[in-house]
Amino acid sequence: MPDPTPKVDVPILKDLTIDNITENVHRINSQTEDARLKYIMERLVTHLHDFARETRLSTSEWMAGIEFLTAVGKKCTDVRQEFILLSDTLGLSLLVDSIDHPKPASSTEGTVLGPYHTHDAHDQTIGSSISGDPDGTPLLCLCTVKSTSGKPIADAKIDIWETDSKGSYDVQYEDYNGNKPDGRAVLRSDDNGVFWFKAVVPVPYRIPDDGPVGALLDKLKRHPWRPSHMHFMFEKQGFDHLITALYLRGDPYETSDVVFGVKESLVVDLGTVTPEQAKKYGVKEGAKLLTYDFVLVSDEETRRLRDEEAMKAMKKLGRENMAIIGGLLVPDVD
Amino acid sequence: MPDPTPKVDVPILKDLTIDNITENVHRINSQTEDARLKYIMERLVTHLHDFARETRLSTSEWMAGIEFLTAVGKKCTDVRQEFILLSDTLGLSLLVDSIDHPKPASSTEGTVLGPYHTHDAHDQTIGSSISGDPDGTPLLCLCTVKSTSGKPIADAKIDIWETDSKGSYDVQYEDYNGNKPDGRAVLRSDDNGVFWFKAVVPVPYRIPDDGPVGALLDKLKRHPWRPSHMHFMFEKQGFDHLITALYLRGDPYETSDVVFGVKESLVVDLGTVTPEQAKKYGVKEGAKLLTYDFVLVSDEETRRLRDEEAMKAMKKLGRENMAIIGGLLVPDVD
C-alpha cells in the first residue's frame, strides 16, 4: 500500500522527448552526493542516449540488445565471466588497463588479464616446473624483475599461467576441481630480482566461443583465437600491480589477437638452451629458452602519470574545470 | 588442438593504445557485410570507449560495472526482466519508443511498456469488468479509437492492464500462475471505434526494487515509484502499434515517474458517473469516470515521419552520407 502522503521533492519530469530526455535523466540522477558516481552516470547516460539517437535504434533492435545482455549474464558462472569476455572482445579491457596503469617508456607494458587467471595456483620455489604436460615442448624461462631505475626487486610475488600443449588452461579440464592446478604457479623473485622456472611452450587457443559473445564474433566474421602467450602478474608493495603477458613471435594470430592484447615490446623470440645452461638449470640440451627482464613502476610514479594523463586528456577534450579527488576524476564544483 | 595452418586474413592489430584502439576495433568489426550491424557496432564501440576515456575509468570501477551487469542478468527470469528495468530507469526505453514511433501532433502519444505486460489476458467483450478487486474504487472507462483523419477504427485489438487497489499487478500475486488474469483484458473496438469497460481506479506502485537496479536507484537517491496509470496497447492492421498509458492528474508521482513515462497529453482528470450513465452502463451512480479518445497513426505515415526525423537528426549531427535501407539507417557507401 503506497504511503498516503509521500514526499516527492525531485525535479519535475514530464513530457520528455528525444531532445530533452538526457538532461532530465541527468537532473534526477544528480540527487546523489557522490560526485564521482554523478559524473560516471552523467557520461554513461549521455553516451547511451547518443548511441540510440545516432543509430535511430528500433524497438526490435533494442529488444535484441536486451536479450543479448540477458544471455551474457546467464552464461556467467564461477569459472566463466562472459561480460569480461565481451569487454575483452570490444577492446574495453585493454583500454581500461591502459588508462589505469600508464607505463613510462622504460617499463614493461601491461596487457589484458584474460579469462583464465585463478587463485588456485600453488606457491612454488624458483627453478620449479609449472607444467606437468608430458606432450609440451620443454621451455626454460630465465627472468628478472627490476625498478625503472634498474634496481633489482626482491621478493616480488609473480603469478604465472599458460596453456598446455593442446591450448587448454587447467580450469578447462573436465575433471578440474581446483585441487591440482597445472600450467600455473606463484613464484617469488630472489635478492637479485631473478626468478626462473620450467614450463612448456604455450600454443594458440580459442576464447570460450560457445556463448553469446562467440555468436557476436561469428556475426562480425571475427575469429576467436588468441596467439600463444604466457601470463605474468606482479605484486610488490610500493609498485603498481603489473598484469602482462609475453607473446611468441611468428604466431599465426600475432597480429589479430581477438582481445587486442599484443604489444611489440611483449613479443619474444624463443632461443635454444645451450649445453652450459642445460647443465646449470637441469633441463635438456636443445630445450626452448625464454628470457625477459621485467620493469615495474612505483605506485607514486604511476599515480603521478595517471593524473597527468587524465588532466591532459580532459584538456584535449575541452573539458575544463575537472579535478582529481582520491585518484578519481570529477567535475570541479567550486 | 589449433589448426596447424590457420588462415588469418584480417587487419593488423598490435600496439593498441588509449588513442588508437577504437579505430582498430572498428577495423576488425568491419569485416561483416551487414551494413546495419557494422554501423551499430561502430557507434557502440565509439561510445563505450569514449565513456572510459572521458571518465578515466579505473580497473576497480570497471570490475564493479562487470559485477553489476552480471547481477542484472542473474536477476532476470520468465516474469522479471531486470535489463528492461535498467533501460526504463535510465530513460533509454522512452527514448527508443520516441524514435521508433514518432507521433504527429494530432495523434495519441506513446509511452513505456513497463515490466507488467503479459500475454495471459483473456479476450473480453465490450462492457466487461476487467478487475475482480472488491476493494478497488469502481471506474467506468468510455473510450474511442480513431485515425488521424477522425475515422473510427473498428475491430482494433486493445490490450489493457492496471494495478489493483493495493498497487499490485496480478503477476505479483504469490499464487499467480497465469490461469486467472486480473486487472487486464483484451477488447475489440466496435464499428464506431468505441470500446468501454469497467475497472478500478489504479494507484501508484513501486517498480520491483529488490534487485541491482533498485540498489542503483538507492545510490542515486531516486525513489522507485510510478504514478497511477492504466496501460493501453493498440494493434490494428495498417496502423502503427501504439503502446501508451493514461495517468491520473494530481498523483504524488505525476512529475517524477521513475521510468520517465508521463506526458501531459496522457494525463487525465477523472469525472463522476452521472445518473444517466449509471443506468446506461450498469454501474453505480457516483462511480469514477475515465473518458479518452485515442488516435492511431497509419503505418505509412509513421514510416515517412520516422525516416524524415532520422535524416533531419543526422543532418543536425553533421553526419552526411547516411541512407535508410529497409527502414534502418546506414552509412551510404556509394
Side-chain angles (χ1 to χ4, degrees), chain A residues 65-86:
Chain A
I66 294 284
E67 285 168 358
F68 176 78
L69 291 171
T70 305
V72 171
K74 295 287 178 210
K75 195 76 191 173
C76 294
T77 66
D78 285 349
V79 293
R80 168 101 177 234
Q81 228 308 345
E82 193 83 356
F83 271 114
I84 291 188
L85 205 62
L86 181 60

Side-chain angles (χ1 to χ4, degrees), chain B residues 41-261:
Chain B
M41 292 304 295
E42 191 262 333
R43 292 287 82 211
L44 180 74
V45 169
T46 296
H47 284 296
L48 187 67
H49 288 192
D50 282 348
F51 166 69
R53 276 188 287 256
E54 290 169 13
T55 58
R56 311 303 290 183
L57 200 67
S58 76
T59 305
S60 60
E61 289 172 330
W62 167 85
M63 185 50 93
I66 294 284
E67 285 167 358
F68 175 78
L69 291 171
T70 305
V72 171
K74 294 287 177 208
K75 197 74 190 174
C76 294
T77 66
D78 285 349
V79 294
R80 168 100 177 235
Q81 228 309 344
E82 193 81 358
F83 271 113
I84 292 188
L85 205 61
L86 181 60
S87 168
D88 289 354
T89 56
L90 294 181
L92 180 66
S93 306
L94 186 80
L95 176 58
V96 170
D97 181 72
S98 306
I99 288 170
D100 207 33
H101 299 282
K103 304 292 177 200
S106 57
S107 66
T108 302
E109 291 188 275
T111 187
V112 288
L113 178 68
Y116 294 117
H117 177 254
T118 72
H119 295 280
D120 298 336
H122 292 167
D123 287 334
Q124 289 189 233
T125 52
I126 284 180
S128 297
S129 171
I130 72 164
S131 171
D133 182 2
D135 299 326
T137 304
L139 178 67
L140 173 65
C141 303
L142 303 180
C143 307
T144 65
V145 54
K146 296 184 178 166
S147 70
T148 48
S149 60
K151 215 181 136 199
I153 300 176
D155 199 37
K157 179 183 171 193
I158 307 140
D159 212 324
I160 301 160
W161 65 108
E162 63 159 350
T163 63
D164 65 15
S165 60
K166 312 279 187 301
S168 292
Y169 286 89
D170 55 5
V171 289
Q172 298 174 285
Y173 300 157
E174 267 183 33
D175 58 349
Y176 183 75
N177 62 9
N179 290 336
K180 283 185 66 181
D182 195 24
R184 65 180 78 232
V186 175
L187 302 182
R188 299 268 171 181
S189 55
D190 71 14
D191 289 347
N192 299 314
V194 169
F195 62 100
W196 66 273
F197 57 98
K198 297 164 196 163
V200 296
V201 175
V203 300
Y205 65 88
R206 308 167 75 95
I207 57 164
D209 62 344
D210 59 339
V213 172
L216 176 63
L217 291 178
D218 201 50
K219 273 203 164 89
L220 291 168
K221 300 211 188 303
R222 286 173 55 179
H223 73 66
W225 289 90
R226 297 213 63 201
S228 314
H229 60 276
M230 187 178 286
H231 293 273
F232 295 84
M233 184 157 76
F234 294 83
E235 280 175 75
K236 172 72 186 180
Q237 184 83 27
F239 290 89
D240 190 43
H241 194 181
L242 173 65
I243 296 169
T244 193
L246 299 178
Y247 298 86
L248 305 192
R249 192 179 311 283
D251 186 281
Y253 305 103
E254 182 183 339
T255 61
S256 68
D257 183 1
V258 67
V259 302
F260 310 104

Side-chain angles (χ1 to χ4, degrees), chain A residues 23-95:
Chain A
E23 63 197 89
N24 279 288
V25 176
H26 293 338
R27 283 167 64 220
I28 201 149
N29 283 346
S30 296
Q31 297 176 116
T32 177
E33 280 143 28
D34 181 333
R36 177 67 178 170
L37 178 62
K38 201 189 296 192
Y39 181 56
I40 294 261
M41 292 304 296
E42 192 262 332
R43 292 287 81 211
L44 180 75
V45 169
T46 296
H47 285 295
L48 187 67
H49 288 193
D50 281 348
F51 166 70
R53 276 188 287 255
E54 291 169 10
T55 58
R56 311 303 288 183
L57 200 68
S58 77
T59 304
S60 59
E61 289 172 330
W62 168 84
M63 185 51 93
I66 294 284
E67 285 168 358
F68 176 78
L69 291 171
T70 305
V72 171
K74 295 287 178 210
K75 195 76 191 173
C76 294
T77 66
D78 285 349
V79 293
R80 168 101 177 234
Q81 228 308 345
E82 193 83 356
F83 271 114
I84 291 188
L85 205 62
L86 181 60
S87 169
D88 289 354
T89 55
L90 295 181
L92 181 65
S93 305
L94 186 81
L95 176 59

Side-chain angles (χ1 to χ4, degrees), chain B residues 295-313:
Chain B
V295 178
L296 306 193
V297 188
S298 73
D299 273 336
E300 205 184 311
E301 188 172 359
T302 300
R303 205 175 305 123
R304 192 180 48 71
L305 206 57
R306 189 193 292 128
D307 294 357
E308 257 178 40
E309 290 191 2
M311 295 312 284
K312 216 189 293 176

Side-chain angles (χ1 to χ4, degrees), chain A residues 247-250 267-271 289-291:
Chain A
Y247 298 86
L248 305 193
R249 191 179 312 283
V267 177
V268 294
D269 291 286
L270 295 188
L289 176 69
L290 182 157
T291 58

